[in-house]
Amino acid sequence: MFLNGRLQGEPRLEVRSPWNGALAGTAAMDSAIAVDQAVRAAAGYDRRLTGERRSAILTETAGLLRSRREALASLITAEAGLCYRDSTREVDRACANLRIAAEEARRIHGQTMELTAGEERRMALTIREPVGTVAAITPFNRPLNQVVVKVAPAIAANNAVIVKPSEKAPLAALELAQALVDSGLPAEMIGVVTGDPAEVGTALVTHELVDMVTFTGSVATGERIAAAAGMRKLLLELGGNDPLIVLDDADLDRAAAIAVGGAFGNSGQSCRGVKRILVTPGIADQFVGRLQERTRTLRFGDPRDPATDVGPLITEQYAVAVVEVCRAAVAQGARLLCGGHRDGAVVAPTVLDHVDPRADVVTDETFGPVAPVIRVGSADEAIEVANSTRYGLQAGVVTNSFDAFLSIASGLRVGAVNLMDGPNFDSPYVPFGGVKKSGLGREGVRFAIAEMTTFKTVVLPWLPPWPGGGCMQAE
Ligand code: NAD
């Protein structure tokens, strides 16, 4: 664990590269007792750290990460198998989130409120207070930035935070905690616990001194955590199976480039990515041809090679499951145009055409490099199919008709819709999150800060302005 500003405990958790099994590093196998220690240390934190100081700490942390960009990217590639290019992007995004959280730390304000008739002799103020101790549970697929999007706003808002990173890739989270303390964050404001999720995760989300749980991961785990957490603040960022809708009037080269970027980026292990491609009849054959052509140019294999586009999945079992779900789709009538096989944990970039909208590969979340094409009869049918699953994170639409886009955008039940782009937009400035089973609440620095603060209302005696103003008097 990371407690009192340093690593502690026996490093019994071996973290191995999903590419070649090489040891990427070690972490502790913490127990429920360790979790209790970390939460109790956090609960006593001193809340007098000013916004200006928190801002300086976050800025300094961004600078430290930036100065270690290549080393951190190599660590992320080693522990999670992300392609080196994706890992450097991961570090850059983490730095951006820290810098924007640093800006926001200086402007967390309440309001003053005039009251109603009969209450003229009072005024109300709202003060934004930190929720207290935040438990942050994060997934394997973005081992640094997924931690930063929780930790940076939590600290900006003056909370203490205990992180439980994925046991599959916990090393970058430990580096982040060290960088925060090295930048001057009081040690009790950041802790990291690692190990068996059933023990450590459960102990954390049920601890009486944890005030809020912010979780990113699968729907199944999110539901388990929501049930265990009981009555405390909850923010859930869960899975998705985002559609990309390509209409008859689309620029097909652009549509194919968007589809390839969205389906195969981060080796397909992305919550927001192209998981289903819905195409209308006029361009379906041409579009599929271009999609296949582009996919065949992708390089897959060693994630350490900067030229690699698609690397391994997090474990070989995940790769087996992805190949299996593609085979099942073919058994249900889909045509396999390329890929559909694996070597170890690496799944070759796969394109499936004529996929049945009821096939598991598109109704569930397929966390791998697969581009399944569903042929639909019209834009209206695209909306219906897009809405037919339990998820609702993002969608992308490729069309030159703004009217068609507006009607699709208003018909989709999702957290965000992108025109002429894939369903994979993410910026520290915008609200990020889903509807339906894709989540509850919003991240994005300013929006996460709103989730991580509560209003305290203070009512003061006040005199109505002129005439008869003067000194403030109690009633
Ligand atoms: P996961 O649900 O298996 O694990 C997520 C985290 O929960 C890990 O740290 C894990 O150790 C922990 N955990 C597991 N069981 C727990 C328990 N009983 N109590 C407490 N913690 C527990 O997810 P994963 O496989 O690591 O990540 C992939 C999933 O994350 C995908 O579904 C993906 O869509 C989702 N994801 C969502 C977003 C988003 O912003 N919506 C972003 C990234 C990933």
Side-chain angles (χ1 to χ4, degrees), residues 136-142 146 149-150 164-168 195-205 215-222 224-225 228 236-240 269-272 275 314 318 365 367 391 393 432-434 438-439 443:
I137 302 182
T138 57
F140 73 81
N141 65 320
R142 300 194 188 273
Q146 278 301 334
V149 296
K150 298 184 180 311
K164 197 218 78 60
S166 169
E167 65 285 2
K168 298 185 184 93
D196 174 22
E199 177 166 3
V200 178
T202 308
L204 187 59
V205 301
F215 169 78
T216 299
S218 62
V219 172
T221 311
R224 211 170 299 138
I225 286 175
L236 299 173
E237 297 288 353
L238 308 179
Q269 298 177 113
S270 193
C271 58
R272 51 183 178 83
K275 305 281 177 66
I314 188 71
Y318 274 54
E365 180 184 43
F367 223 50
Y391 299 102
L393 202 51
F432 182 88
S438 287
E443 290 190 334

Side-chain angles (χ1 to χ4, degrees), residues 200-282:
V200 178
T202 308
L204 187 59
V205 301
T206 56
H207 198 290
E208 57 178 349
L209 295 179
V210 166
D211 300 292
M212 173 177 181
V213 177
T214 167
F215 169 78
T216 299
S218 62
V219 172
T221 311
E223 286 184 329
R224 211 170 299 138
I225 286 175
M231 253 185 72
R232 61 188 104 205
K233 275 200 142 188
L234 204 57
L235 198 162
L236 299 173
E237 297 288 353
L238 308 179
N241 64 356
D242 297 349
L244 174 70
I245 297 172
V246 184
L247 298 187
D248 277 357
D249 66 348
D251 169 340
L252 294 185
D253 277 329
R254 187 153 172 193
I258 291 169
V260 167
F264 303 117
N266 224 45
S267 308
Q269 298 177 113
S270 193
C271 58
R272 51 183 178 83
V274 172
K275 305 281 177 66
R276 300 177 279 163
I277 306 168
L278 314 185
V279 290
T280 47

Side-chain angles (χ1 to χ4, degrees), residues 128-347:
R128 298 262 300 275
E129 293 194 329
V131 292
T133 300
V134 175
I137 302 182
T138 57
F140 73 81
N141 65 320
R142 300 194 188 273
L144 179 63
N145 193 47
Q146 278 301 334
V147 184
V148 167
V149 296
K150 298 184 180 311
V151 168
I155 289 168
N158 208 11
N159 295 286
V161 54
I162 309 291
V163 181
K164 197 218 78 60
S166 169
E167 65 285 2
K168 298 185 184 93
L171 304 175
L174 293 165
E175 295 285 333
L176 171 70
Q178 190 64 63
L180 282 160
V181 171
D182 291 346
S183 302
L185 187 73
E188 61 279 12
M189 285 181 76
I190 178 83
V192 184
V193 288
T194 51
D196 174 22
E199 177 166 3
V200 178
T202 308
L204 187 59
V205 301
T206 56
H207 198 290
E208 57 178 349
L209 295 179
V210 166
D211 300 292
M212 173 177 181
V213 177
T214 167
F215 169 78
T216 299
S218 62
V219 172
T221 311
E223 286 184 329
R224 211 170 299 138
I225 286 175
M231 253 185 72
R232 61 188 104 205
K233 275 200 142 188
L234 204 57
L235 198 162
L236 299 173
E237 297 288 353
L238 308 179
N241 64 356
D242 297 349
L244 174 70
I245 297 172
V246 184
L247 298 187
D248 277 357
D249 66 348
D251 169 340
L252 294 185
D253 277 329
R254 187 153 172 193
I258 291 169
V260 167
F264 303 117
N266 224 45
S267 308
Q269 298 177 113
S270 193
C271 58
R272 51 183 178 83
V274 172
K275 305 281 177 66
R276 300 177 279 163
I277 306 168
L278 314 185
V279 290
T280 47
I283 42 87
D285 287 339
Q286 284 164 286
F287 169 78
V288 168
R290 293 188 202 191
L291 172 64
Q292 191 182 352
E293 229 169 76
R294 276 182 186 265
T295 304
R296 285 186 188 282
T297 65
L298 296 176
R299 295 175 62 157
F300 53 100
D302 188 344
R304 297 166 301 178
D305 181 344
T308 301
D309 300 298
V310 173
L313 302 191
I314 188 71
T315 64
E316 192 165 344
Q317 292 94 297
Y318 274 54
V320 170
V322 167
V323 169
E324 201 41 57
V325 83
C326 291
R327 279 203 190 119
V330 171
Q332 280 176 271
R335 282 189 213 149
L336 177 67
L337 300 184
C338 58
H341 55 86
R342 71 175 179 93
D343 183 5
V346 178
V347 175

